Amino acid sequence: MLPVFVQSCHRCHVTFSLHAVDPVFVSFLQVTMRERLSLWAVFCLLVAFLPSQTVAVMSVDLGSEWMKIAIVKPGVPMEIALNKESRRKTPVAVCLKENERLFGDSALGVAVKNPKVVYRFLQSILGKTADNPQVAQYQKHFPEHQMQRDEKRGTVFFKFSEELQYTPEELLGMILNYSRGLAQDFAEQLIKDAVITVPAYFNQAERRAVLQAAHIAGLKVLQLINDNTAVALNYGVFRRKDINSTAQNIMFYDMGSGSTTATIVTYQTVKTKESGTQPQLQIRGVGFDRTLGGFEMELRLRDHLAKLFNEQKKSKKDVRENLRAMAKLLKEAQRLKTVLSANAEHMAQIEGLMDDIDFKAKVTRSEFEALCEDLFDRVPGPVKEALAAAEMTMDEIDQVILVGGSTRVPRVQDVLLKAVGKEELSKNINADEAAAMGAVYQAAALSKAFKVKPFLVRDAAVFPIQVEFSRETEEEDGVKTMKHNKRILFQRMAPYPQRKVITFNRYMDDFVFYINYGDLGFLSEQDLKVFGSQNLTTVKLSGVGSSFTKHSDAESKGIKAHFNMDESGVLILDRVKLGNTISSLFGGGSSEPTANVTEPVTDEEEVSPEAEKDQERSEKQEESAQEKPETEEGKEGEPQAEEGHRGVQKEVSVSCFSELINVENELTESEKWDRHSVVTEDSLKNSHVFLPHIRLQDLTDRDLEKQEREKTLNSLEAFIFETQDKLYQDEYLAVVTEEEKEQITGKLSEASNWMDEEGYAAGTKELKEKLSELKKLCKAMFFRVEERKKWPDSLAALDSIAEFFLFYFFYKRSIFETFFIFFCLGNLEGNAVLSKDIDAKRSLLDREVNYLLNKAKFAKPKPKDKAKDKNTTSTENSKANSTEDAEKIITPKSDDGETDYFILANPLI
């Protein structure tokens, strides 16, 4: 295996790694580093040997109202990507017009004028059925949209026109594709790999909806990371020196635009076999409120402003019935909420709110707080839920850190401070960008192009999941009854990723089992309604009886269902096997956590549904099993999970049989939106086929065509105006005749008139042809101007070498005769000497000079005359030596008899 060379950024703890590098090159780099060559120089060397494939990765902190995008690429560790307006955050909004799409701030600009074509705040309806309360709430907030039920999937879609309908996943896919474009523009290279944040309370349906949207956007999702986990990772990475073996419990209170989450995280160092002692974060408890956020406050303000306008009685119409006016009021309410966070009162004002009537009214902070009193009463709720989930008290929490833009509302801070009983609330992280930066750190950790300093992450599932099945039992009196069994697969706050195995020992024929959510008693009645159905899927197993018949002489170890909750918190039924496999099905077996991957707590765990134990005892044993490195059945040959729960499957059968059996998932109504909520891997690959990708690709092609046309149109306009202006500049007047000037001016005027009459409606091809025609007409003029700019430097260089040449080697008159042609350059004629010709002559002359200088430098001295009298006096010898050392003067004759003097001895270089 070829070695790997790595170099780190100590500030961000991100390491760039060059894989599969030639060993000689690695040795050279190591020597270079020992010589203390600068990091930048080493990086430049690395880039020179980089493969052509892209290495940059991105993260998207996908909020309900805003998204923040971050990238990591060689030389740019962990940076927020700016959008086209050079802003660090972008509205999650898309505007659909007949022939174009607009995103972000451009889409919001249209929302005020035509709210029907702008879609935003889509997060709340992802993975929701048509009868979900949040769908009804969304329709109330945005009555301008036509939402209809999808009879096949049970979810909703937006009816844009009779021909076009879009699902929330499609619209979010468009937005994610736009975010990818922003990241690529900022990174100046293609990007496919991404980590996307989702709320910790997202269930299986909601998580799969985001994955589908990313699939539509052409993104490869390395991981869906809970936003609270991303924040906690960002906090820990930049404070790793403060983390030690003593546990530190920190609560992150995150109030964004659409929801609020409180998360308790424990930081401490742990020992690992691979990396030694490393810092670790563990999610201990999560509490949330799905609808408590800044957007609900803005809606209250919007309605208050509408009431004030109606009370002014400047119009007989009710402003609340005017969708465009209400969109303007919402925009003003958003601004007003921000201003009132720093001021006791402020003046709301909108020009031409409705029927050309201006609106102006004063709003105080006390009025705003009165409007949202019931919302502020809900602020402590997530804190209490998080403490209950973690089984902790506030006395055990070291500090409470604020996250999210809505925590800047003073009343929120006052209520929260009172609820947690602390002296102060910490504000020592970037409340807006912490999640994006934590997610991009995770993206670098998961990418093959980077290495990061290990930071162990133990995330937790908020909702428990269990397996249910019915089995016929025979009582002592011989009466047969059906017994319903429940076995917990993943408990509440169970760490993931993790694999689990359930063995069915007493089934000899085809049967059915159900995968459902477990006890959700910790949710409120309203949350349960929003959560939707508690049934995930029904799994039908076929081929069981025929397999037993075929292997009747072999020993059976039961029917094993292998489950996996991956890094994204998505549950998958990997496979169902009849019989037993020994050896190590997944290889490895280390129970140590993996750096920057949520820790798999144990080896693949065996959950025995056949044990005759009550539910409470089963749960206790489950907890106990999670603390063991492996189960007893694992020792006897049960599959084990390698580090990171990945490995190569090795199936060996000894005195038993192992056979994959058919699995059919029969989804409940609430999961039909996804078609495969819990499915085998092969089935999951086909779970996106119902989405109209061709339609979305067509929209993308239209956007690209529109951008190309606009670029060509702008280039043509700029060329016409700039060239018209140049024709009055001295440097251009010096190289054109009156006839040429008149011709060019006429064509430019003709093109300008064409632009006013037809050009702005012309197609891209026609615009390009017009631009090409004008450039061809002006090409000679531009060329001559450039030549005149180059002449002084070229002539000066030639003159310098010519003087040197003249002074030492040739007759002045002769060289002037040959050099004279260079000063007879025409201004306008086509046969004028070009700057490149001057440079060519200079190069030839320079070569001759160097040749003669080298010849003179290495010439051997002439031997002494042997016929010279050896008896010359010492005085004569001294004189002779002095004469030989002196410079020889040669007086060559020119054709006209004039004498030129040159010094040949000791020539200057």
Side-chain angles (χ1 to χ4, degrees), residues 179-197:
S179 74
R180 178 188 178 191
L182 293 178
Q184 289 180 157
D185 291 343
F186 192 79
E188 298 180 334
Q189 60 178 281
L190 292 175
I191 298 179
K192 290 185 178 180
D193 297 345
V195 169
I196 302 175
T197 70

Side-chain angles (χ1 to χ4, degrees), residues 145-162:
H145 298 316
Q146 294 187 46
M147 299 178 68
Q148 297 184 2
R149 176 187 174 90
D150 186 333
E151 297 299 332
K152 293 183 179 180
R153 302 169 59 207
T155 56
V156 295
F157 63 85
F158 293 96
K159 184 178 180 181
F160 183 72
S161 66
E162 292 298 330

Side-chain angles (χ1 to χ4, degrees), residues 132-364:
N132 192 287
Q134 282 203 318
V135 173
Q137 187 76 354
Y138 186 92
Q139 185 70 81
K140 179 182 177 182
H141 293 162
F142 302 99
E144 59 269 19
H145 298 316
Q146 294 187 46
M147 299 178 68
Q148 297 184 2
R149 176 187 174 90
D150 186 333
E151 297 299 332
K152 293 183 179 180
R153 302 169 59 207
T155 56
V156 295
F157 63 85
F158 293 96
K159 184 178 180 181
F160 183 72
S161 66
E162 292 298 330
E163 296 79 19
L164 297 176
Q165 297 86 35
Y166 297 100
T167 65
E169 294 85 7
E170 289 177 293
L171 295 174
L172 182 60
M174 298 177 193
I175 294 170
L176 287 176
N177 186 56
Y178 176 71
S179 74
R180 178 188 178 191
L182 293 178
Q184 289 180 157
D185 291 343
F186 192 79
E188 298 180 334
Q189 60 178 281
L190 292 175
I191 298 179
K192 290 185 178 180
D193 297 345
V195 169
I196 302 175
T197 70
V198 295
Y201 55 77
F202 260 24
N203 59 27
Q204 295 295 306
E206 292 166 308
R207 290 175 186 273
R208 289 189 179 277
V210 176
L211 288 175
Q212 285 196 347
H215 177 79
I216 293 170
L219 285 171
K220 177 185 177 183
V221 179
L222 301 176
Q223 181 181 345
L224 294 181
I225 187 171
N226 293 335
D227 47 17
N228 56 349
T229 305
V231 170
L233 179 58
N234 175 254
Y235 179 85
V237 162
F238 288 96
R239 292 165 180 80
R240 59 188 303 129
K241 293 182 179 179
D242 300 329
I243 302 174
N244 51 46
S245 58
T246 302
Q248 303 176 44
N249 300 319
I250 296 178
M251 175 181 288
F252 294 94
Y253 191 89
D254 182 1
M255 180 181 287
S257 179
S259 62
T260 300
T261 304
T263 307
I264 298 175
V265 184
T266 298
Y267 294 93
Q268 66 182 130
T269 54
V270 296
K271 291 184 179 180
T272 63
K273 293 180 180 179
E274 292 76 13
S275 307
T277 302
Q278 298 296 342
Q280 172 186 273
L281 73 85
Q282 178 180 1
I283 305 298
R284 298 289 301 277
V286 176
F288 60 89
D289 190 323
R290 282 179 176 264
T291 59
L292 176 62
F295 183 55
E296 187 63 33
M297 300 177 192
E298 292 160 2
L299 290 172
R300 304 282 180 93
L301 266 178
R302 180 199 65 177
D303 295 341
H304 178 65
L305 295 178
K307 179 183 176 182
L308 292 178
F309 179 80
N310 286 336
E311 289 176 350
Q312 292 176 0
K313 299 187 182 299
K314 294 182 179 180
S315 173
K316 296 180 180 180
K317 300 177 182 178
D318 187 347
V319 70
R320 292 172 294 187
E321 297 177 359
N322 188 308
L323 298 178
R324 184 174 178 179
M326 291 299 286
K328 292 181 180 180
L329 288 172
L330 178 58
K331 182 178 180 180
E332 180 64 10
Q334 291 170 332
R335 185 187 70 87
L336 196 60
K337 186 200 74 171
T338 303
V339 174
L340 288 177
S341 295
N343 298 274
E345 61 181 36
H346 190 68
M347 190 67 68
Q349 48 188 341
I350 303 173
E351 292 184 5
L353 175 60
M354 185 176 67
D355 298 334
D356 294 327
I357 300 174
D358 296 338
F359 169 65
K360 189 174 183 180
K362 185 176 72 173
V363 180
T364 65

Side-chain angles (χ1 to χ4, degrees), residues 247-517:
Q248 303 176 44
N249 300 319
I250 296 178
M251 175 181 288
F252 294 94
Y253 191 89
D254 182 1
M255 180 181 287
S257 179
S259 62
T260 300
T261 304
T263 307
I264 298 175
V265 184
T266 298
Y267 294 93
Q268 66 182 130
T269 54
V270 296
K271 291 184 179 180
T272 63
K273 293 180 180 179
E274 292 76 13
S275 307
T277 302
Q278 298 296 342
Q280 172 186 273
L281 73 85
Q282 178 180 1
I283 305 298
R284 298 289 301 277
V286 176
F288 60 89
D289 190 323
R290 282 179 176 264
T291 59
L292 176 62
F295 183 55
E296 187 63 33
M297 300 177 192
E298 292 160 2
L299 290 172
R300 304 282 180 93
L301 266 178
R302 180 199 65 177
D303 295 341
H304 178 65
L305 295 178
K307 179 183 176 182
L308 292 178
F309 179 80
N310 286 336
E311 289 176 350
Q312 292 176 0
K313 299 187 182 299
K314 294 182 179 180
S315 173
K316 296 180 180 180
K317 300 177 182 178
D318 187 347
V319 70
R320 292 172 294 187
E321 297 177 359
N322 188 308
L323 298 178
R324 184 174 178 179
M326 291 299 286
K328 292 181 180 180
L329 288 172
L330 178 58
K331 182 178 180 180
E332 180 64 10
Q334 291 170 332
R335 185 187 70 87
L336 196 60
K337 186 200 74 171
T338 303
V339 174
L340 288 177
S341 295
N343 298 274
E345 61 181 36
H346 190 68
M347 190 67 68
Q349 48 188 341
I350 303 173
E351 292 184 5
L353 175 60
M354 185 176 67
D355 298 334
D356 294 327
I357 300 174
D358 296 338
F359 169 65
K360 189 174 183 180
K362 185 176 72 173
V363 180
T364 65
R365 183 190 294 178
S366 59
E367 290 176 328
F368 166 62
E369 292 176 349
L371 292 170
C372 304
E373 191 65 36
D374 61 318
L375 299 179
F376 297 136
D377 291 341
R378 290 158 55 185
V379 167
V383 173
K384 297 177 182 177
E385 291 181 11
L387 291 172
E391 298 182 350
M392 300 173 68
T393 65
M394 278 307 306
D395 293 337
E396 300 175 76
I397 306 300
D398 296 315
Q399 60 176 318
V400 178
I401 300 178
L402 297 180
V403 187
S406 295
T407 56
R408 296 188 179 97
V409 176
R411 185 63 183 278
V412 170
Q413 296 184 18
D414 295 341
V415 175
L416 179 61
L417 186 61
K418 183 178 179 181
V420 299
K422 300 293 182 181
E423 293 183 1
E424 63 178 356
L425 301 172
S426 299
K427 305 173 185 177
N428 49 2
I429 63 173
N430 189 322
D432 290 320
E433 300 175 358
M437 297 299 282
V440 81
Y441 186 88
Q442 185 73 349
L446 297 174
S447 171
K448 296 180 180 179
F450 302 91
K451 289 186 177 180
V452 300
K453 289 186 177 181
F455 203 107
L456 310 180
V457 180
R458 295 186 64 184
D459 212 330
V462 176
F463 308 112
I465 296 177
Q466 64 189 19
V467 172
E468 300 183 30
F469 57 95
S470 297
R471 180 169 49 82
E472 188 178 65
T473 61
E474 185 174 347
E475 303 294 338
E476 295 179 357
D477 55 3
V479 177
K480 294 183 177 180
T481 59
M482 294 297 295
K483 181 179 180 182
H484 190 71
N485 297 274
K486 295 181 180 180
R487 293 295 178 266
I488 294 180
L489 196 61
F490 295 96
Q491 292 186 351
R492 183 187 180 191
M493 303 309 299
Y496 69 83
Q498 190 175 180
R499 292 183 182 272
K500 290 290 186 68
V501 179
I502 284 186
T503 303
F504 303 91
N505 289 323
R506 301 183 185 182
Y507 287 95
M508 302 299 292
D509 207 344
D510 299 355
F511 67 100
V512 175
F513 65 89
Y514 310 90
I515 305 174
N516 302 325
Y517 289 105

Side-chain angles (χ1 to χ4, degrees), residues 583-768:
S583 186
S584 179
L585 185 61
F586 284 92
S590 172
S591 62
E592 294 296 337
T594 304
N596 291 91
V597 177
T598 308
E599 177 190 358
V601 177
T602 72
D603 299 325
E604 189 167 30
E605 289 190 29
E606 175 78 12
V607 181
S608 177
E610 303 299 329
E612 297 295 336
K613 302 168 184 176
D614 57 41
Q615 186 67 20
E616 181 179 357
R617 185 177 177 187
S618 175
E619 292 178 4
K620 290 182 179 179
Q621 286 195 339
E622 182 75 5
E623 292 181 358
S624 176
Q626 290 181 354
E627 300 301 325
K628 298 177 182 178
E630 61 182 16
T631 63
E632 293 183 0
E633 287 183 330
K635 294 179 181 178
E636 294 177 1
E638 283 302 311
Q640 300 176 356
E642 75 159 357
E643 184 182 73
H645 77 263
R646 289 192 178 89
V648 179
Q649 182 172 328
K650 300 177 181 179
E651 298 180 6
V652 182
S653 180
V654 179
S655 70
C656 62
F657 66 95
S658 174
E659 183 170 321
L660 286 170
I661 61 178
N662 298 324
V663 179
E664 179 183 352
N665 289 286
E666 190 175 272
L667 299 181
T668 61
E669 184 69 18
S670 65
E671 296 297 339
K672 286 183 180 178
W673 71 273
D674 191 26
R675 293 200 172 181
H676 294 283
S677 176
V678 180
V679 295
T680 60
E681 291 183 356
D682 290 338
S683 300
L684 183 59
K685 293 177 182 178
N686 300 320
S687 64
H688 309 293
V689 294
F690 66 89
L691 290 174
H693 297 290
I694 297 178
R695 180 175 66 194
L696 297 181
Q697 184 60 46
D698 180 60
L699 288 173
T700 301
D701 292 341
R702 288 186 191 179
D703 290 342
L704 294 175
E705 183 180 349
K706 175 176 175 290
Q707 292 171 11
E708 184 180 8
R709 183 188 176 280
E710 290 177 348
K711 183 178 179 180
T712 306
L713 181 63
N714 292 336
S715 299
L716 179 56
E717 281 185 313
F719 186 86
I720 293 173
F721 295 137
E722 290 175 5
T723 307
Q724 286 176 330
D725 181 66
K726 288 175 180 177
L727 287 174
Y728 293 95
Q729 298 175 11
D730 292 339
E731 59 180 338
Y732 286 86
L733 291 174
V735 299
V736 294
T737 63
E738 285 298 326
E739 182 180 353
E740 284 179 308
K741 180 182 177 182
E742 183 178 349
Q743 181 185 11
I744 294 174
T745 302
K747 287 291 184 180
L748 291 174
S749 298
E750 180 183 329
S752 180
N753 294 333
W754 177 83
M755 286 288 294
D756 294 335
E757 297 174 2
E758 305 176 30
Y760 292 102
T764 305
K765 182 179 178 181
E766 192 174 1
L767 292 171
K768 285 184 176 181

